[in-house]
Amino acid sequence: MTIIARVDPFRPDEEVVRKAAEIIKRGGLVAFPTETVYGLGADVFNRRAVLRVFEVKGRPPDNPLIIHVNSLEMLDEVASSIPEVAYKLISKFWPGPLTLILPKSEKVPYEATGGLDTVAVRMPAHPVALKLIGESQTPIAAPSANISGYPSPTKGEHVIRDLYSKIDMIIDAGDTLYGVESTIINILTDPPTLLRPGAYPVEEIEKAIGKNIVIPEFARGLKEAGQALAPGMRYRHYSPATPLVLIELSDYSRQSLSELAWNVIRLVDQYKDRKVCILATEETKEYYTGLNAVIVPLGSRKSFYEIAHNLFDALRKLDQLGCGIAIAEGFEERGLGLTIMNRLRKACSRRIVI
Ligand code: AMP
Ligand code: MG
């Protein structure tokens, strides 16, 4: 049986958090809200609980989990050494959506790290997540609380749809703030490397450390990562069941949005035999009026935060609408645009660059 508890994100019922912590302590699984997406939590030091996380998600065993802590003492329990640059980033960005790669402590089981000698750690900025870690008195390993390969959950109902009856408890605190996962930085390389763009723009992290961060092709969603760099990046990710075609501009400063929209329209015409959905923006939706297509709004291009926040819910909607094919527009890769493009490129089944 899965307990479902709805709570106020800012003032969660203490009783609910206590109950959830009891479940974690005895090796159970609890889905809980964070400021990025919902996580599926287990006591990181409990091998069997960690293995169950992989099992219920259908997650490949070499795709490591992010460990969530609520204090620097807890960080010391999971990392064997912490370089100076880590403290610089932690003091500026924690609690928040920044995950750091650090050498693993002996206590952390290899089941949680996909066999690696490093851990990915962050301190979430969500009252429910922080309270749950505190009450559980243990770091919590938590990947996103969705079926592996499917878009990450940004609402309690997404978690219920994917994991109801498979886990012990779901804490539903409504919409998550960012709606995309944390930014993952490997600070063990010099200069540091971006492993996954996320809710914090890379540019802000670069400003804080006064150095450029290496952005490999796979972090832009263009290539698969090798085993050693970021194991999880090799797998299908964020994909709705509906086939998704992504149309990108090669140069957003020179090409116009009307060129992008015109190519979307031409593609709609090619799929006359199917129900077509378009993930459109405020700036482009006018172009699509009168077309035989369902418009799924993503928000305005003036706020990449808004687009990122709505993205996973919109991808899930495509399946609910029974679309035969969906078309997504590209975004410029600056700020959160890099994060949005990473997710769209991984989610799509076909990519067209014009
Ligand atoms: P998820 O929690 O589903 O967003 O996935 C967490 C991601 O963190 C994985 O897909 C990995 O790419 C990354 N990750 C976790 N641990 C490590 C690590 N030790 N080294 C590199 N990447 C990691
Ligand atoms: Mg995930």
Side-chain angles (χ1 to χ4, degrees):
M1 203 196 67
T2 305
I3 303 167
I4 298 180
R6 298 206 161 81
V7 299
D8 178 326
F10 300 105
R11 273 187 223 164
D13 185 340
E14 308 265 325
E15 207 38 58
V16 168
V17 178
R18 243 195 314 272
K19 173 88 200 144
E22 265 169 42
I23 293 173
I24 295 282
K25 281 198 233 180
R26 54 156 219 266
L29 305 191
V30 176
F32 62 97
T34 78
E35 78 281 30
T36 58
V37 301
Y38 276 77
L40 176 60
D43 174 358
V44 72
F45 300 128
N46 184 325
R47 281 169 206 271
R48 281 182 51 191
V50 168
L51 284 175
R52 231 185 109 207
V53 168
F54 285 88
E55 200 181 292
V56 302
K57 277 183 60 91
R59 185 176 175 104
D62 62 346
N63 187 359
L65 309 180
I66 292 175
I67 301 171
H68 296 71
V69 299
N70 75 343
S71 66
L72 293 185
E73 290 74 42
M74 230 182 230
L75 173 65
D76 280 333
E77 277 187 73
V78 297
S80 63
S81 70
I82 300 162
E84 205 45 50
V85 59
Y87 284 115
K88 216 183 216 176
L89 289 171
I90 287 169
S91 66
K92 188 148 174 102
F93 295 111
W94 280 12
L98 175 67
T99 297
L100 300 175
I101 305 297
L102 295 167
K104 140 190 184 327
S105 74
E106 271 186 27
K107 255 180 103 179
V108 175
Y110 280 110
E111 283 81 352
T113 68
L116 297 173
D117 286 314
T118 51
V119 280
V121 199
R122 82 176 191 101
M123 189 188 290
H126 194 293
V128 175
L130 288 173
K131 283 200 162 108
L132 177 62
I133 301 164
E135 279 283 329
S136 305
Q137 295 172 299
T138 180
I140 294 183
S144 48
N146 55 297
I147 295 295
S148 206
Y150 209 56
S152 302
T154 59
K155 296 170 185 285
E157 65 202 63
H158 297 162
V159 183
I160 294 168
R161 192 163 290 137
D162 280 17
L163 300 179
Y164 185 75
S165 85
K166 293 183 174 162
I167 60 177
D168 303 292
M169 186 171 183
I170 297 170
I171 307 178
D172 179 351
D175 252 40
T176 59
L177 179 66
Y178 293 105
V180 284
E181 299 85 345
S182 60
T183 305
I184 308 181
I185 308 275
N186 185 359
I187 45 167
L188 303 177
T189 60
D190 189 20
T193 314
L194 177 70
L195 296 186
R196 176 178 75 189
Y200 273 147
V202 186
E203 294 89 335
E204 280 182 33
I205 301 163
E206 286 178 325
K207 240 185 269 165
I209 53 176
K211 255 188 202 178
N212 285 335
I213 290 170
V214 178
I215 303 180
E217 293 273 277
F218 70 79
R220 298 174 56 212
L222 290 175
K223 256 194 198 151
E224 314 261 283
Q227 172 81 19
L229 274 170
M233 308 297 165
R234 285 185 293 121
Y235 299 104
R236 202 181 96 97
H237 247 99
Y238 318 118
S239 309
T242 309
L244 179 70
V245 184
L246 171 62
I247 306 190
E248 297 183 24
L249 293 178
S250 45
D251 187 346
Y252 289 83
S253 60
R254 285 158 167 261
Q255 292 166 288
S256 66
L257 282 181
S258 59
E259 191 175 344
L260 184 60
W262 177 239
N263 277 274
V264 172
I265 293 166
R266 282 222 313 245
L267 203 62
V268 171
D269 205 44
Q270 283 175 31
Y271 289 113
K272 275 203 197 81
D273 54 327
R274 291 192 234 177
K275 176 169 179 178
V276 184
C277 290
I278 305 172
L279 294 169
T281 53
E282 275 302 310
E283 289 75 12
T284 51
K285 68 175 194 213
E286 297 299 326
Y287 292 101
Y288 309 135
T289 46
L291 278 186
N292 190 16
V294 179
I295 304 300
V296 178
L298 271 182
S300 167
R301 286 173 179 272
K302 293 195 189 97
S303 167
F304 281 179
Y305 164 79
E306 187 186 358
I307 307 266
H309 177 267
N310 296 335
L311 183 63
F312 287 137
D313 185 49
L315 289 175
R316 282 174 176 261
K317 270 205 191 102
L318 300 175
D319 293 348
Q320 285 159 34
L321 287 167
C323 297
I325 184 109
I327 306 171
E329 305 166 349
F331 296 86
E332 193 182 346
E333 286 174 276
R334 64 174 163 77
L336 288 183
L338 182 71
T339 306
I340 295 165
M341 288 314 289
N342 166 289
R343 305 303 187 270
L344 280 175
R345 285 171 181 155
K346 283 165 171 283
C348 74
S349 39
R350 186 178 157 208
R351 177 173 166 248
I352 300 168
V353 183
I354 50 174

